[in-house]
Amino acid sequence: MDTQDIEKNYQSAKKIYMDFGVDTDKVLEIMKQIPVSVHCWQGDDVAGFEKTEGLSGGLVATGNYPGKATTPEQLRQDIEMALSLIPGKHKINLHSIYGENYKERDKISINNFKNWLNWAKQKELGIDFNPTFFSHSMADSGYTLSSQDKKIRDFWISHAKDCREIAYYIGKELGIICIHNIWIPDGSKDIPADRISHRKILKDSLDEILSEKYDRKFMRDSLESKLFGIGSESYVVGAFEFYYGYGLKNNIMLCLDTGHFHPTESIADKISSVLLFQDEMLLHISRGVRWDSDHVVILNDDIISITQEIKRYNVFDRVHFSLDYFDASINRITAWVIGAQALLKAILFSLLEPTHLIQHEEKNGNFGNRLALMENFKMLPFAFVWDKFCSLYNVPIRNKYLDNIKAYEESVLLKRK
Ligand code: RNT
Ligand code: ZN
């Protein structure tokens, strides 16, 4: 398909959408303003550069596809490659274990992220940041911020404080908000006899970590809940209810990870409740298959129902999107691109929805028409608008990007030792 075909298809799609009262040109302008935070950890199976301990905290990356990045330079090069195939202007999501040249987790500072910072400046990318509470001997007991052992707890409190400072510095340097997201693996494999003590300790730890106030223009905190994990099947200290309560009381945003709820629970349904009481929220878009397996995100109903909710209340400015999955069994660049494109497609699909028409049927109590319109809108030529969006950023159309990845795999990835 050449540029002329893309344009021709787009013009015919534009006309069809116009008949339903949707302006595709305007939608494309909105698309340009919606950043997705691309997680660096898809590039190396959540290994990071400490290289002292294996992946822990209940996180598992299965597969052994060749060519994974093992140095910061390689990882940045791979991210650049992935970004060149993802239309739009996006952010990068870093974990503290991706810092460079530090000896111990509790001795990190902004100096260990200078290369990332300079690179981001050069590429005009925002950065989000996460303290890392796993893959470390101090997390081996299964508890970090909620540990009853003061030594362990203090170690992690200090880590989180350092990370908030780093996040603030990053946000200030780049002039783009840096979201500092706390996720801890704390919990227990089997039925605990005392749930509340750990939760009380977690509350105190968070109070201490968050006591330092930073300018929200540059840094914002978020708290990520979970339902269960590998090794924490019976009890997770940082459950949704815990953080919902804490977040409301202390005005800290929540992070909802789409893999962190019961498999049949709708995350989309939660958005309108959370945003009634909080200004904003963070989403970790993931795909669980039977459990929180972090499969590559695809364009499925789960994701579309989330972006539809956001579209229907027009709250794209109050929801931050980030990706969170890791698949080591396929080309890691392909994994990044599929997931990021899927999320962007879901956003575009939702922006193109003639929402006013279905809401009109609902107001009139005609639920048959509402359902029929919803079904009909699935058939609108959204792919042609997507192609146009890709072409605006010189992203090869449809599956053409696979050729670029193949060439990169041959010339770069397979040459890595
Ligand atoms: C774990 C959480 C967390 C991590 C990343 C690496 O279940 O989803 O967000 O996946 O921080
Ligand atoms: Zn997550």
Side-chain angles (χ1 to χ4, degrees):
M1 209 165 27
D2 61 19
T3 330
Q4 254 180 346
D5 293 328
I6 297 169
E7 194 50 37
K8 209 173 94 214
N9 289 341
Y10 176 68
Q11 289 305 328
S12 85
K14 185 175 159 167
K15 209 162 151 282
I16 295 170
Y17 276 106
M18 214 43 122
D19 287 344
F20 289 101
V22 175
D23 182 339
T24 53
D25 287 345
K26 269 199 192 131
V27 165
L28 287 176
E29 285 309 308
I30 300 172
M31 280 300 288
K32 291 181 191 165
Q33 311 298 324
I34 300 177
V36 166
S37 190
V38 177
H39 56 319
C40 75
W41 52 92
Q42 164 56 47
D44 72 340
D45 319 334
V46 212
F49 303 121
E50 260 179 34
K51 300 276 157 55
T52 42
E53 325 261 336
L55 182 58
S56 80
L59 308 181
V60 198
T62 52
N64 194 21
Y65 200 85
K68 88 166 167 197
T70 55
T71 67
E73 292 75 23
Q74 290 178 354
L75 187 59
R76 281 190 284 269
Q77 190 189 0
D78 291 357
I79 295 173
E80 278 177 37
M81 181 62 200
L83 287 176
S84 74
L85 304 175
I86 301 168
K89 200 162 158 20
H90 303 295
K91 291 175 101 180
I92 292 303
N93 206 357
L94 287 183
H95 246 280
S96 73
I97 49 172
Y98 289 85
E100 294 171 54
N101 310 316
Y102 66 86
K103 291 253 157 9
E104 248 305 320
R105 187 88 53 100
D106 59 347
K107 295 198 177 49
I108 56 166
S109 74
I110 187 65
N111 292 327
N112 307 105
F113 294 89
K114 282 267 146 74
N115 292 339
W116 282 107
L117 207 52
N118 290 336
W119 173 77
K121 267 187 202 159
Q122 216 179 60
K123 307 273 161 209
E124 294 181 21
L125 291 165
I127 294 182
D128 291 323
F129 199 74
N130 303 260
T132 314
F133 295 95
F134 50 84
S135 305
H136 194 280
S137 58
M138 286 296 252
D140 284 350
S141 67
Y143 293 96
T144 61
L145 290 180
S146 74
S147 172
Q148 273 152 348
D149 181 337
K150 192 170 174 333
K151 214 173 110 223
I152 293 180
R153 193 164 73 241
D154 286 346
F155 176 90
W156 292 113
I157 289 175
S158 143
H159 176 62
K161 284 183 167 178
D162 292 344
C163 287
R164 287 185 81 225
E165 202 180 311
I166 293 169
Y168 171 71
Y169 191 87
I170 290 175
K172 202 158 175 256
E173 277 290 303
L174 298 177
I176 302 171
I177 296 166
C178 175
I179 298 184
H180 174 267
N181 175 56
I182 291 183
W183 173 74
I184 57 166
D186 299 30
S188 133
K189 179 185 176 80
D190 226 322
I191 308 156
D194 178 4
R195 292 170 189 263
I196 202 164
S197 295
H198 288 289
R199 291 195 166 128
K200 168 86 180 57
I201 295 170
L202 176 56
K203 180 185 166 297
D204 293 344
S205 296
L206 290 174
D207 286 347
E208 194 175 333
I209 292 165
L210 301 168
S211 63
E212 174 93 43
K213 300 292 169 217
Y214 289 97
D215 188 342
R216 288 174 51 78
K217 231 170 52 204
F218 302 120
M219 195 276 272
R220 291 181 198 171
D221 295 283
S222 69
L223 300 168
E224 180 178 1
S225 65
K226 194 161 177 167
L227 177 68
F228 78 93
I230 304 275
S232 61
E233 289 84 351
S234 303
Y235 168 59
V236 164
V237 184
F240 178 73
E241 293 75 4
F242 175 90
Y243 287 127
Y244 197 39
Y246 191 93
L248 278 184
K249 200 163 175 204
N250 299 286
N251 195 24
I252 307 288
M253 86 170 103
L254 300 178
C255 168
L256 302 195
D257 181 308
T258 57
H260 290 190
F261 294 86
H262 289 282
T264 58
E265 212 172 337
S266 160
I267 285 83
D269 180 53
K270 299 175 192 306
I271 295 171
S272 53
S273 296
V274 171
L275 289 185
L276 263 190
F277 300 101
Q278 295 218 297
D279 294 339
E280 56 188 345
M281 66 194 292
L282 172 66
L283 290 174
H284 268 192
I285 305 291
S286 190
R287 177 167 59 109
V289 176
R290 301 187 191 279
W291 66 289
D292 178 32
S293 59
D294 291 298
H295 276 64
V296 177
V297 167
I298 54 172
L299 184 61
N300 61 13
D301 285 353
D302 299 339
I303 305 306
I304 292 174
S305 58
I306 288 172
T307 52
Q308 277 172 332
E309 278 295 297
I310 300 168
K311 151 74 195 320
R312 288 174 190 170
Y313 317 123
N314 191 20
V315 285
F316 280 102
D317 55 336
R318 294 170 61 195
V319 180
H320 307 275
F321 291 101
S322 52
L323 298 164
D324 185 10
Y325 56 82
F326 24 97
D327 190 336
S329 75
I330 59 176
N331 181 301
R332 292 170 185 80
I333 317 262
T334 312
W336 255 320
V337 177
I338 293 173
Q341 286 203 0
L343 174 55
L344 289 165
K345 284 174 190 167
I347 295 172
L348 177 64
F349 183 80
S350 306
L351 284 169
L352 290 168
E353 178 189 80
T355 308
H356 57 290
L357 300 182
I358 47 176
Q359 287 182 343
H360 176 78
E361 297 297 347
E362 181 167 289
K363 276 205 188 93
N364 289 337
N366 201 334
F367 304 139
N369 283 15
R370 179 183 62 185
L371 193 59
L373 286 186
M374 283 177 174
E375 282 299 282
N376 199 26
F377 295 159
K378 290 178 185 168
M379 307 298 288
L380 294 180
F382 124 87
F384 292 156
V385 186
W386 172 254
D387 290 344
K388 171 79 179 174
F389 184 55
C390 287
S391 75
L392 292 177
Y393 290 89
N394 296 319
V395 169
I397 299 305
R398 312 257 167 117
N399 50 322
K400 280 271 182 295
Y401 72 82
L402 292 174
D403 299 343
N404 302 45
I405 294 179
K406 187 166 182 272
Y408 186 77
E409 178 169 293
E410 278 162 11
S411 63
V412 179
L413 299 181
L414 293 179
K415 296 214 166 117
R416 287 178 185 163
K417 290 268 152 11

Short mmCIF file of all heavy atoms in Angstrom, two decimals, residues 41 46 59 95 130 134 181 183 224 226 257 260 284 292 294 324 326, ligand 1:
data_model
loop_
_atom_site.label_atom_id
_atom_site.label_comp_id
_atom_site.label_asym_id
_atom_site.label_seq_id
_atom_site.Cartn_x
_atom_site.Cartn_y
_atom_site.Cartn_z
N TRP A 41 11.27 -2.65 30.87
CA TRP A 41 11.56 -4.02 31.30
C TRP A 41 11.10 -5.12 30.32
O TRP A 41 11.45 -6.27 30.51
CB TRP A 41 11.06 -4.28 32.72
CG TRP A 41 9.62 -3.94 33.03
CD1 TRP A 41 8.56 -4.78 32.93
CD2 TRP A 41 9.11 -2.70 33.54
NE1 TRP A 41 7.40 -4.14 33.33
CE2 TRP A 41 7.71 -2.87 33.71
CE3 TRP A 41 9.67 -1.46 33.86
CZ2 TRP A 41 6.87 -1.84 34.19
CZ3 TRP A 41 8.85 -0.44 34.34
CH2 TRP A 41 7.48 -0.63 34.50
N VAL A 46 12.84 -8.04 32.67
CA VAL A 46 12.88 -7.46 34.03
C VAL A 46 14.20 -7.78 34.76
O VAL A 46 14.21 -7.93 35.98
CB VAL A 46 11.68 -7.89 34.91
CG1 VAL A 46 11.30 -6.78 35.90
CG2 VAL A 46 10.44 -8.28 34.11
N LEU A 59 7.35 -12.41 40.18
CA LEU A 59 7.34 -12.06 38.75
C LEU A 59 8.09 -13.15 37.97
O LEU A 59 9.16 -13.57 38.37
CB LEU A 59 8.01 -10.70 38.51
CG LEU A 59 7.50 -9.54 39.37
CD1 LEU A 59 8.24 -8.26 39.02
CD2 LEU A 59 6.01 -9.34 39.21
N HIS A 95 12.69 1.37 35.94
CA HIS A 95 12.74 0.85 37.30
C HIS A 95 14.11 1.23 37.88
O HIS A 95 15.07 1.40 37.12
CB HIS A 95 12.62 -0.68 37.28
CG HIS A 95 11.37 -1.18 37.91
ND1 HIS A 95 11.23 -1.30 39.27
CD2 HIS A 95 10.20 -1.61 37.38
CE1 HIS A 95 10.02 -1.78 39.54
NE2 HIS A 95 9.37 -1.97 38.41
N ASN A 130 10.09 3.86 38.85
CA ASN A 130 9.60 2.91 39.86
C ASN A 130 10.72 2.48 40.80
O ASN A 130 11.78 2.05 40.31
CB ASN A 130 9.10 1.62 39.20
CG ASN A 130 8.03 1.88 38.16
OD1 ASN A 130 6.86 1.71 38.41
ND2 ASN A 130 8.44 2.29 36.97
N PHE A 134 11.95 -5.79 44.58
CA PHE A 134 12.10 -7.24 44.35
C PHE A 134 13.49 -7.52 43.81
O PHE A 134 14.29 -6.59 43.64
CB PHE A 134 11.00 -7.75 43.41
CG PHE A 134 10.84 -6.95 42.14
CD1 PHE A 134 11.64 -7.18 41.03
CD2 PHE A 134 9.88 -5.93 42.05
CE1 PHE A 134 11.50 -6.45 39.87
CE2 PHE A 134 9.74 -5.18 40.88
CZ PHE A 134 10.55 -5.44 39.79
N ASN A 181 5.85 5.29 40.82
CA ASN A 181 4.84 4.29 41.17
C ASN A 181 5.40 3.23 42.12
O ASN A 181 6.41 2.59 41.83
CB ASN A 181 4.37 3.60 39.87
CG ASN A 181 3.40 2.46 40.16
OD1 ASN A 181 2.37 2.65 40.81
ND2 ASN A 181 3.74 1.26 39.71
N TRP A 183 5.07 -0.28 43.79
CA TRP A 183 4.47 -1.61 43.88
C TRP A 183 5.38 -2.49 44.74
O TRP A 183 6.59 -2.53 44.51
CB TRP A 183 4.29 -2.28 42.51
CG TRP A 183 3.83 -3.71 42.71
CD1 TRP A 183 2.58 -4.11 43.08
CD2 TRP A 183 4.65 -4.89 42.65
NE1 TRP A 183 2.57 -5.48 43.24
CE2 TRP A 183 3.82 -5.99 42.99
CE3 TRP A 183 5.99 -5.14 42.36
CZ2 TRP A 183 4.28 -7.30 43.04
CZ3 TRP A 183 6.46 -6.46 42.40
CH2 TRP A 183 5.60 -7.53 42.74
N GLU A 224 0.30 1.02 43.52
CA GLU A 224 -0.23 -0.09 42.70
C GLU A 224 -0.66 -1.27 43.56
O GLU A 224 0.15 -1.88 44.25
CB GLU A 224 0.83 -0.53 41.68
CG GLU A 224 0.36 -1.67 40.79
CD GLU A 224 1.40 -2.06 39.74
OE1 GLU A 224 2.50 -1.46 39.71
OE2 GLU A 224 1.11 -2.99 38.96
N LYS A 226 -2.55 -5.12 44.23
CA LYS A 226 -2.52 -6.44 43.59
C LYS A 226 -3.45 -7.37 44.38
O LYS A 226 -3.72 -7.15 45.56
CB LYS A 226 -1.09 -6.97 43.57
CG LYS A 226 -0.89 -8.16 42.66
CD LYS A 226 0.59 -8.35 42.33
CE LYS A 226 0.81 -9.59 41.49
NZ LYS A 226 2.13 -9.65 40.89
N ASP A 257 -3.45 -2.11 37.77
CA ASP A 257 -2.83 -2.99 36.77
C ASP A 257 -3.90 -3.96 36.32
O ASP A 257 -4.56 -4.61 37.15
CB ASP A 257 -1.63 -3.70 37.42
CG ASP A 257 -0.89 -4.61 36.46
OD1 ASP A 257 -1.55 -5.45 35.82
OD2 ASP A 257 0.35 -4.52 36.38
N HIS A 260 -4.18 -7.37 37.89
CA HIS A 260 -4.17 -7.48 39.35
C HIS A 260 -5.54 -7.59 40.00
O HIS A 260 -5.74 -7.14 41.13
CB HIS A 260 -3.41 -6.28 39.95
CG HIS A 260 -1.94 -6.33 39.67
ND1 HIS A 260 -1.04 -5.48 40.27
CD2 HIS A 260 -1.20 -7.15 38.88
CE1 HIS A 260 0.19 -5.75 39.85
NE2 HIS A 260 0.11 -6.76 39.00
N HIS A 284 -1.75 0.33 34.49
CA HIS A 284 -0.74 -0.57 33.95
C HIS A 284 -1.49 -1.53 33.04
O HIS A 284 -2.24 -2.37 33.51
CB HIS A 284 -0.08 -1.38 35.08
CG HIS A 284 1.15 -0.74 35.61
ND1 HIS A 284 2.04 -1.39 36.44
CD2 HIS A 284 1.67 0.50 35.42
CE1 HIS A 284 3.04 -0.57 36.73
NE2 HIS A 284 2.83 0.57 36.14
N ASP A 292 -2.10 -13.64 36.52
CA ASP A 292 -1.42 -12.38 36.19
C ASP A 292 -0.14 -12.68 35.43
O ASP A 292 0.96 -12.45 35.89
CB ASP A 292 -1.12 -11.63 37.50
CG ASP A 292 -0.37 -10.34 37.26
OD1 ASP A 292 -0.59 -9.71 36.21
OD2 ASP A 292 0.43 -9.95 38.13
N ASP A 294 1.10 -11.54 32.62
CA ASP A 294 1.79 -10.47 31.89
C ASP A 294 2.10 -10.83 30.44
O ASP A 294 3.21 -10.62 29.96
CB ASP A 294 3.07 -10.04 32.63
CG ASP A 294 2.75 -9.34 33.94
OD1 ASP A 294 2.12 -8.27 33.89
OD2 ASP A 294 3.13 -9.84 35.02
N ASP A 324 2.60 -2.80 30.96
CA ASP A 324 3.30 -3.64 31.93
C ASP A 324 3.12 -5.12 31.58
O ASP A 324 2.15 -5.75 31.98
CB ASP A 324 2.79 -3.36 33.35
CG ASP A 324 3.59 -4.12 34.40
OD1 ASP A 324 4.64 -4.71 34.03
OD2 ASP A 324 3.18 -4.14 35.57
N PHE A 326 5.75 -8.69 30.08
CA PHE A 326 7.10 -9.11 29.66
C PHE A 326 7.03 -10.53 29.12
O PHE A 326 6.67 -11.46 29.79
CB PHE A 326 8.11 -9.04 30.82
CG PHE A 326 7.51 -9.11 32.20
CD1 PHE A 326 7.47 -10.31 32.89
CD2 PHE A 326 6.99 -7.97 32.80
CE1 PHE A 326 6.91 -10.36 34.17
CE2 PHE A 326 6.42 -8.02 34.06
CZ PHE A 326 6.38 -9.23 34.75
C1 RNT B 1 3.90 -6.60 39.48
C2 RNT B 1 3.49 -5.24 39.08
C3 RNT B 1 4.59 -4.29 38.76
C4 RNT B 1 5.68 -4.91 37.93
C5 RNT B 1 6.66 -3.93 37.36
C6 RNT B 1 7.92 -4.59 36.89
O1 RNT B 1 2.86 -7.50 39.56
O2 RNT B 1 2.62 -5.32 37.99
O3 RNT B 1 4.08 -3.16 38.18
O4 RNT B 1 5.19 -5.66 36.88
O5 RNT B 1 6.88 -2.92 38.24
#
